[in-house]
Amino acid sequence: MTKQSFATALMTMVGAAVFAVSLPAAPAHAEEQGALTKAWDSTRQGTEKAWDKTKTGTTEAWDKTKAGTEKAWDKTAAGADKTWDKTKSGSAKVWDKTKSGTTEAWDKTKTGTTDAAHDVGKWGERTGQKIGNTSTAIGHDIHNGFSDDKK
């Protein structure tokens, strides 16, 4: 029931009550009492009809509201479920990529560190060989500088 139809029903009832009160006092004649009784009965019947319409309209409006709310809730629940499924699936995929990327990065770091350690060890060996060769060469050059022997 709309506010306007409720207001109309209410004003009808108030108007009927004002009308009934504004009627002149009933004289002692039976005919005039019948007119007042007829007016009152008419007002009462009109009020009852207006109230029945108001009650029926309210019930129908509530039924429509309830049905619409249930449909809206069903759509909301279904949408939330779909969103959660997508979020859960996306999170799993992102986690798998992160885990895989971390494993690959760790493997590269481990390999790089191992290779660098081996290079450092080889560098030490090469440096030692060069120093050893250089000292032999310097010693030989010094020997040649002090003697005529070219051996």
Short mmCIF file of all heavy atoms in Angstrom, two decimals, residues 72-97:
data_model
loop_
_atom_site.label_atom_id
_atom_site.label_comp_id
_atom_site.label_asym_id
_atom_site.label_seq_id
_atom_site.Cartn_x
_atom_site.Cartn_y
_atom_site.Cartn_z
N ALA A 72 16.95 -10.70 -4.06
CA ALA A 72 18.16 -9.89 -3.95
C ALA A 72 19.21 -10.61 -3.10
O ALA A 72 20.39 -10.61 -3.43
CB ALA A 72 17.84 -8.53 -3.34
N TRP A 73 18.77 -11.24 -2.00
CA TRP A 73 19.71 -11.96 -1.14
C TRP A 73 20.31 -13.14 -1.88
O TRP A 73 21.52 -13.40 -1.79
CB TRP A 73 19.05 -12.44 0.14
CG TRP A 73 19.98 -13.31 0.91
CD1 TRP A 73 19.88 -14.63 1.11
CD2 TRP A 73 21.19 -12.90 1.53
NE1 TRP A 73 20.94 -15.09 1.84
CE2 TRP A 73 21.77 -14.04 2.10
CE3 TRP A 73 21.85 -11.68 1.65
CZ2 TRP A 73 22.97 -14.01 2.80
CZ3 TRP A 73 23.05 -11.64 2.34
CH2 TRP A 73 23.60 -12.78 2.90
N ASP A 74 19.49 -13.87 -2.64
CA ASP A 74 20.01 -15.01 -3.41
C ASP A 74 21.08 -14.55 -4.40
O ASP A 74 22.11 -15.19 -4.54
CB ASP A 74 18.87 -15.73 -4.15
CG ASP A 74 17.94 -16.49 -3.19
OD1 ASP A 74 18.31 -16.69 -2.02
OD2 ASP A 74 16.84 -16.87 -3.63
N LYS A 75 20.81 -13.44 -5.08
CA LYS A 75 21.79 -12.91 -6.04
C LYS A 75 23.06 -12.47 -5.31
O LYS A 75 24.16 -12.70 -5.79
CB LYS A 75 21.20 -11.74 -6.82
CG LYS A 75 20.20 -12.16 -7.87
CD LYS A 75 19.70 -10.97 -8.67
CE LYS A 75 18.71 -11.38 -9.73
NZ LYS A 75 18.23 -10.23 -10.52
N THR A 76 22.91 -11.83 -4.17
CA THR A 76 24.07 -11.37 -3.40
C THR A 76 24.90 -12.56 -2.93
O THR A 76 26.13 -12.56 -3.04
CB THR A 76 23.62 -10.53 -2.19
OG1 THR A 76 22.87 -9.41 -2.67
CG2 THR A 76 24.79 -10.04 -1.38
N ALA A 77 24.23 -13.58 -2.40
CA ALA A 77 24.94 -14.76 -1.90
C ALA A 77 25.67 -15.46 -3.05
O ALA A 77 26.83 -15.85 -2.91
CB ALA A 77 23.97 -15.72 -1.22
N ALA A 78 25.00 -15.62 -4.18
CA ALA A 78 25.63 -16.28 -5.33
C ALA A 78 26.82 -15.46 -5.82
O ALA A 78 27.87 -16.01 -6.14
CB ALA A 78 24.61 -16.46 -6.46
N GLY A 79 26.68 -14.15 -5.88
CA GLY A 79 27.78 -13.29 -6.30
C GLY A 79 28.96 -13.36 -5.35
O GLY A 79 30.12 -13.40 -5.77
N ALA A 80 28.67 -13.40 -4.07
CA ALA A 80 29.74 -13.50 -3.07
C ALA A 80 30.47 -14.83 -3.20
O ALA A 80 31.70 -14.88 -3.11
CB ALA A 80 29.17 -13.32 -1.66
N ASP A 81 29.72 -15.91 -3.43
CA ASP A 81 30.34 -17.22 -3.60
C ASP A 81 31.26 -17.23 -4.82
O ASP A 81 32.39 -17.73 -4.76
CB ASP A 81 29.28 -18.31 -3.76
CG ASP A 81 28.56 -18.63 -2.45
OD1 ASP A 81 29.09 -18.25 -1.38
OD2 ASP A 81 27.48 -19.25 -2.51
N LYS A 82 30.78 -16.68 -5.93
CA LYS A 82 31.59 -16.65 -7.15
C LYS A 82 32.85 -15.81 -6.92
O LYS A 82 33.94 -16.19 -7.34
CB LYS A 82 30.79 -16.07 -8.31
CG LYS A 82 29.74 -17.00 -8.86
CD LYS A 82 28.96 -16.36 -9.99
CE LYS A 82 27.83 -17.25 -10.48
NZ LYS A 82 27.02 -16.58 -11.51
N THR A 83 32.69 -14.67 -6.25
CA THR A 83 33.84 -13.81 -5.99
C THR A 83 34.86 -14.53 -5.11
O THR A 83 36.06 -14.46 -5.35
CB THR A 83 33.38 -12.50 -5.31
OG1 THR A 83 32.46 -11.84 -6.20
CG2 THR A 83 34.53 -11.58 -5.03
N TRP A 84 34.38 -15.22 -4.08
CA TRP A 84 35.29 -15.95 -3.19
C TRP A 84 36.02 -17.05 -3.96
O TRP A 84 37.23 -17.24 -3.79
CB TRP A 84 34.54 -16.55 -2.00
CG TRP A 84 35.44 -17.44 -1.20
CD1 TRP A 84 35.33 -18.78 -1.04
CD2 TRP A 84 36.60 -17.04 -0.47
NE1 TRP A 84 36.35 -19.23 -0.25
CE2 TRP A 84 37.15 -18.19 0.11
CE3 TRP A 84 37.24 -15.82 -0.27
CZ2 TRP A 84 38.30 -18.17 0.89
CZ3 TRP A 84 38.38 -15.80 0.51
CH2 TRP A 84 38.91 -16.95 1.08
N ASP A 85 35.29 -17.78 -4.83
CA ASP A 85 35.93 -18.83 -5.61
C ASP A 85 37.04 -18.25 -6.49
O ASP A 85 38.12 -18.82 -6.59
CB ASP A 85 34.90 -19.57 -6.47
CG ASP A 85 33.96 -20.44 -5.64
OD1 ASP A 85 34.28 -20.71 -4.46
OD2 ASP A 85 32.90 -20.83 -6.17
N LYS A 86 36.75 -17.12 -7.13
CA LYS A 86 37.77 -16.48 -7.99
C LYS A 86 38.96 -16.00 -7.15
O LYS A 86 40.11 -16.14 -7.55
CB LYS A 86 37.16 -15.30 -8.76
CG LYS A 86 36.27 -15.73 -9.90
CD LYS A 86 35.74 -14.53 -10.66
CE LYS A 86 34.84 -14.95 -11.81
NZ LYS A 86 34.32 -13.80 -12.55
N THR A 87 38.68 -15.44 -5.99
CA THR A 87 39.75 -14.95 -5.12
C THR A 87 40.62 -16.11 -4.65
O THR A 87 41.84 -16.04 -4.69
CB THR A 87 39.16 -14.20 -3.90
OG1 THR A 87 38.38 -13.11 -4.37
CG2 THR A 87 40.23 -13.69 -2.98
N LYS A 88 39.96 -17.18 -4.22
CA LYS A 88 40.68 -18.36 -3.73
C LYS A 88 41.54 -18.95 -4.85
O LYS A 88 42.72 -19.26 -4.64
CB LYS A 88 39.67 -19.38 -3.21
CG LYS A 88 40.26 -20.52 -2.44
CD LYS A 88 39.19 -21.34 -1.71
CE LYS A 88 38.26 -22.01 -2.66
NZ LYS A 88 37.37 -22.99 -2.04
N SER A 89 40.97 -19.09 -6.02
CA SER A 89 41.69 -19.65 -7.16
C SER A 89 42.87 -18.75 -7.55
O SER A 89 43.97 -19.23 -7.79
CB SER A 89 40.73 -19.80 -8.34
OG SER A 89 41.43 -20.18 -9.50
N GLY A 90 42.62 -17.45 -7.60
CA GLY A 90 43.68 -16.50 -7.94
C GLY A 90 44.80 -16.52 -6.92
O GLY A 90 45.98 -16.47 -7.26
N SER A 91 44.44 -16.62 -5.64
CA SER A 91 45.46 -16.66 -4.59
C SER A 91 46.32 -17.90 -4.72
O SER A 91 47.54 -17.84 -4.54
CB SER A 91 44.80 -16.64 -3.21
OG SER A 91 44.12 -15.43 -3.01
N ALA A 92 45.70 -19.03 -5.03
CA ALA A 92 46.45 -20.28 -5.19
C ALA A 92 47.43 -20.16 -6.36
O ALA A 92 48.59 -20.56 -6.25
CB ALA A 92 45.50 -21.44 -5.40
N LYS A 93 46.97 -19.58 -7.46
CA LYS A 93 47.84 -19.41 -8.63
C LYS A 93 49.00 -18.47 -8.30
O LYS A 93 50.15 -18.74 -8.66
CB LYS A 93 47.04 -18.85 -9.82
CG LYS A 93 46.11 -19.87 -10.44
CD LYS A 93 45.32 -19.25 -11.58
CE LYS A 93 44.29 -20.23 -12.14
NZ LYS A 93 43.45 -19.61 -13.16
N VAL A 94 48.71 -17.38 -7.63
CA VAL A 94 49.76 -16.42 -7.27
C VAL A 94 50.76 -17.08 -6.33
O VAL A 94 51.97 -16.91 -6.47
CB VAL A 94 49.14 -15.15 -6.64
CG1 VAL A 94 50.20 -14.28 -6.00
CG2 VAL A 94 48.38 -14.36 -7.69
N TRP A 95 50.25 -17.85 -5.36
CA TRP A 95 51.15 -18.53 -4.42
C TRP A 95 52.04 -19.52 -5.16
O TRP A 95 53.24 -19.59 -4.90
CB TRP A 95 50.38 -19.23 -3.31
CG TRP A 95 51.29 -20.04 -2.46
CD1 TRP A 95 51.31 -21.38 -2.33
CD2 TRP A 95 52.35 -19.55 -1.63
NE1 TRP A 95 52.31 -21.76 -1.48
CE2 TRP A 95 52.98 -20.66 -1.04
CE3 TRP A 95 52.83 -18.29 -1.35
CZ2 TRP A 95 54.05 -20.54 -0.16
CZ3 TRP A 95 53.91 -18.16 -0.48
CH2 TRP A 95 54.50 -19.27 0.11
N ASP A 96 51.47 -20.28 -6.11
CA ASP A 96 52.27 -21.23 -6.88
C ASP A 96 53.37 -20.51 -7.65
O ASP A 96 54.51 -20.96 -7.70
CB ASP A 96 51.38 -22.03 -7.84
CG ASP A 96 50.49 -23.04 -7.12
OD1 ASP A 96 50.75 -23.32 -5.93
OD2 ASP A 96 49.53 -23.53 -7.75
N LYS A 97 53.03 -19.40 -8.28
CA LYS A 97 54.03 -18.62 -9.02
C LYS A 97 55.10 -18.08 -8.08
O LYS A 97 56.29 -18.09 -8.40
CB LYS A 97 53.36 -17.48 -9.79
CG LYS A 97 52.60 -17.93 -11.01
CD LYS A 97 52.03 -16.75 -11.77
CE LYS A 97 51.28 -17.22 -13.02
NZ LYS A 97 50.76 -16.07 -13.78
#
